[in-house]
Amino acid sequence: MFKEILRETREEKNISQVQMAKLLGIPVSTYRNYENTSRQPAFDILIKMSAILGVSIDHLLGNNSREGKYEELLYKIKLLPTDKIDDVNNYIDFLFYKFNKDT
């Protein structure tokens, strides 16, 4: 599952395998093994992958649980510029209002 998620996420970000390997500081053959075999990256590489791709480690590992989705959301929010946090908070308030109004 990891290799499929890694490939799909990388392709969504329009990053080639060669570019990804360079960004990670590893040989291209090593990176290709992550996508084509059952080889798993070391923790430090996994952390770099998540930062480069802008997704949580939970996402890369296929954790689709509710808790994993919270972690993914928090991770994305932390990557936003500080001045955009208010926009996120306002949107969440809007969603709560809409949800409570409809129920």
Side-chain angles (χ1 to χ4, degrees):
M1 177 176 239
F2 169 74
K3 63 185 181 179
E4 290 88 3
I5 294 170
L6 179 60
R7 173 175 285 159
E8 288 172 9
T9 306
R10 176 186 57 76
E11 289 175 350
E12 287 172 4
K13 304 293 180 176
N14 295 317
I15 300 173
S16 72
Q17 287 181 332
V18 173
Q19 291 171 315
M20 192 69 174
K22 284 182 182 177
L23 290 168
L24 292 169
I26 60 175
V28 176
S29 59
T30 300
Y31 181 79
R32 286 186 175 140
N33 283 334
Y34 297 144
E35 288 191 8
N36 298 324
T37 68
S38 295
R39 184 170 178 184
Q40 303 294 314
F43 290 129
D44 62 323
I45 298 296
L46 187 61
I47 292 167
K48 287 181 186 177
M49 285 176 177
S50 113
I52 291 165
L53 297 171
V55 297
S56 69
I57 292 172
D58 271 343
H59 173 79
L60 290 176
L61 297 178
N63 180 2
N64 293 322
S65 70
R66 186 177 187 131
E67 199 60 37
K69 290 186 185 293
Y70 291 146
E71 289 296 320
E72 177 94 16
L73 184 58
L74 288 173
Y75 180 80
K76 288 178 180 179
I77 291 170
K78 287 179 184 178
L79 294 175
L80 289 173
T82 306
D83 63 322
K84 298 299 176 194
I85 301 299
D86 285 338
D87 293 340
V88 172
N89 196 34
N90 289 336
Y91 186 68
I92 290 170
D93 287 344
F94 165 75
L95 290 175
F96 275 121
Y97 169 78
K98 185 175 184 330
F99 176 75
N100 289 327
K101 181 181 162 203
D102 295 339
T103 57

